[in-house]
Amino acid sequence: MLLTKAQCFKRALLISKKADYHACFSPLFRVQQLSSDCKPSNKNNDSIFSHSYTGAARLHRSDNMKTLRLFSTSNEAVKPTAVQKQPISEKKDDDDEEGFFSRHLGKMFGGVILGIALYFYRLSRNRQRKEALEDQLRAGYGAEPHEIEDLREANRKFGSGALLAVGRAALERFPGGAAPYQDFVACAAEGLRSAGVPPLAQGFILDRVAAQYIRSQPKLLEEAQRGAEPPLPLPVLLAILSLACYSDVEERVEVFHELMAGGDGGGEGEGAPRRRLLSTAAAAEVVGALVHSCQLPAERRVREIEEQRYPWMSYREIKPPEMLDEAFSELKWDAKEKYNTGLTQEELGAVLRSQAVCAWGECWRDPRQR
């Protein structure tokens, strides 16, 4: 059905309002209804309706927003909505990216080499510090190990029985537990004559050890410098004399246990022979006497200081009571029980042969050869 010019004019106004509204939302708005319904009867008519129709047809054919202003009654410019094109980002493959270790391979390798070098350097410095203290303690010995061996070989007739007889005579003559060195030598010479043992050969080694012990004790050294003869503890004097005793380890342990035992211990049953027990204090005196008479290796007298481990290890000299406690721990004994009861001869021998004490170097010997 063909519309009249008045109807086309009204519809054109209505469509222009709709176009003005939709232009804010769709830049590609097309007026299809106008092109299908508004068909002018006269193509040569140049009226306003013809221009309106022509503009509407042009709106249908064009995508440009400027053609919509032919029907728009508003003075506002229609701003087309810009469609932003997002660039396609180039995605990197995760396999192509280098990891942390790949990027820092050289640094890590250099750090490992540096750490190994510092580790061995620290070990070397710690060993040097420990050996320096061992050399200092070894310098305080009055006799070398080979000299002690030669001394025992030169006095083969001086056995453990003669040493026990001299020790008993010294304990009777000096009940105070100490004696001047010359008085003890006179007592020992008398005891050797009674036992039928000739005078000791190479006795100057014993004199040197006794003099070194006096120099290591400030109080004794002060008395000696004043011209007096300081009294020395009997355990130390007996340990010095034992350097010349030609006997095995078990016999020496028996002599020390017999001379240093301070009381009797209980037997295993009624009527059983009572076994003499050595107190832990006396056992510590035995260990100390062996230290001062050069019969303990210097390596066993050095311990680490746990509080001073970095950057270098620090070392100190261990005391005889501490060595005794370490021996109890090594042998898995109850220290409180041993302090209350005491040690038998076999237990004293186990303590002296332990790694903590290592008297006469017995800890380095094969147990099958002891």
Side-chain angles (χ1 to χ4, degrees):
M1 180 182 68
L2 298 177
L3 300 177
T4 61
K5 292 182 178 181
Q7 291 176 346
C8 288
F9 178 76
K10 291 180 180 180
R11 181 161 294 190
L13 291 177
L14 180 61
I15 292 174
S16 65
K17 293 180 180 181
K18 292 183 178 180
D20 189 33
Y21 172 77
H22 288 285
C24 297
F25 301 94
S26 177
L28 303 178
F29 175 73
R30 293 175 175 82
V31 186
Q32 297 179 356
Q33 186 175 2
L34 179 62
S35 62
S36 61
D37 296 339
C38 296
K39 295 182 180 180
S41 59
N42 187 6
K43 296 182 179 180
N44 297 325
N45 193 354
D46 295 333
S47 64
I48 187 173
F49 304 104
S50 175
H51 286 288
S52 299
Y53 170 76
T54 305
R58 190 182 298 115
L59 176 63
H60 175 71
R61 293 192 304 269
S62 175
D63 292 337
N64 194 346
M65 285 300 301
K66 293 181 180 180
T67 58
L68 294 177
R69 294 187 60 81
L70 296 175
F71 298 98
S72 177
T73 59
S74 175
N75 294 327
E76 296 178 0
V78 179
K79 298 181 180 179
T81 304
V83 180
Q84 298 180 356
K85 295 183 179 181
Q86 297 181 356
I88 301 176
S89 60
E90 297 181 358
K91 297 182 179 180
K92 295 183 179 180
D93 192 358
D94 295 339
D95 297 337
D96 297 338
E97 293 184 359
E98 295 183 353
F100 175 82
F101 295 99
S102 300
R103 295 195 307 269
H104 303 86
L105 184 60
K107 296 179 181 179
M108 294 177 60
F109 181 75
V112 171
I113 297 300
L114 180 61
I116 294 175
L118 291 177
Y119 173 76
F120 284 104
Y121 177 72
R122 184 173 182 270
L123 287 181
S124 177
R125 285 293 302 272
N126 292 341
R127 184 172 60 252
Q128 292 176 1
R129 293 166 68 91
K130 183 179 180 181
E131 291 177 353
L133 181 57
E134 292 175 358
D135 294 340
Q136 180 181 354
L137 297 177
R138 198 176 291 110
Y141 288 164
E144 298 291 337
H146 65 88
E147 292 180 326
I148 297 175
E149 292 295 332
D150 295 340
L151 178 63
R152 288 173 179 168
E153 288 292 336
N155 297 278
R156 283 180 170 268
K157 294 184 179 181
F158 180 41
S160 59
L163 177 62
L164 182 60
V166 172
R168 288 174 177 172
L171 291 176
E172 292 178 0
R173 182 174 296 186
F174 309 105
Y181 181 69
Q182 292 185 357
D183 295 346
F184 176 78
V185 170
C187 179
E190 183 179 348
L192 292 176
R193 285 194 300 269
S194 301
V197 178
L200 298 179
Q202 301 183 9
F204 62 90
I205 297 178
L206 303 181
D207 299 339
R208 190 200 309 159
V209 174
Q212 184 64 32
Y213 172 72
I214 294 175
R215 284 193 293 267
S216 65
Q217 305 297 319
K219 294 182 179 180
L220 300 180
L221 180 60
E222 184 179 356
E223 293 183 13
Q225 290 176 349
R226 290 200 305 263
E229 190 173 357
L232 306 183
L234 282 181
V236 176
L237 293 173
L238 293 174
I240 293 175
L241 183 61
S242 68
L243 291 174
C245 181
Y246 187 80
S247 61
D248 56 15
V249 174
E250 294 298 333
E251 292 176 349
R252 272 175 271 174
V253 171
E254 181 181 0
V255 170
F256 279 111
H257 187 274
E258 179 69 21
L259 295 177
M260 297 296 298
D264 295 335
E268 297 180 356
E270 186 176 358
R274 299 174 64 85
R275 302 178 61 188
R276 186 178 295 273
L277 296 177
L278 181 67
S279 64
T280 53
E285 290 184 12
V286 172
V287 174
L290 294 177
V291 169
H292 296 303
S293 59
C294 319
Q295 301 189 59
L296 258 67
E299 293 81 0
R300 288 296 181 266
R301 298 173 56 190
V302 176
R303 295 294 186 274
E304 299 177 356
I305 301 178
E306 296 296 334
E307 295 79 9
Q308 301 178 9
R309 299 181 63 90
Y310 298 98
W312 320 114
M313 288 293 302
S314 297
Y315 300 90
R316 65 179 179 87
E317 179 186 1
I318 191 173
K319 303 301 180 182
E322 295 177 295
M323 300 176 72
L324 199 64
D325 293 337
E326 289 186 2
F328 290 161
S329 178
E330 177 186 341
L331 298 172
K332 298 181 180 180
W333 292 350
D334 188 358
K336 293 183 179 180
E337 180 182 356
K338 296 303 177 183
Y339 274 101
N340 293 330
T341 59
L343 302 176
T344 62
Q345 176 182 332
E346 293 78 10
E347 291 173 343
L348 177 62
V351 168
L352 296 180
R353 286 191 296 265
S354 64
Q355 294 288 335
V357 180
C358 194
W360 309 292
E362 286 295 305
C363 63
W364 294 327
R365 293 182 58 185
D366 190 350
R368 294 172 296 182
Q369 298 178 358
R370 293 176 181 174

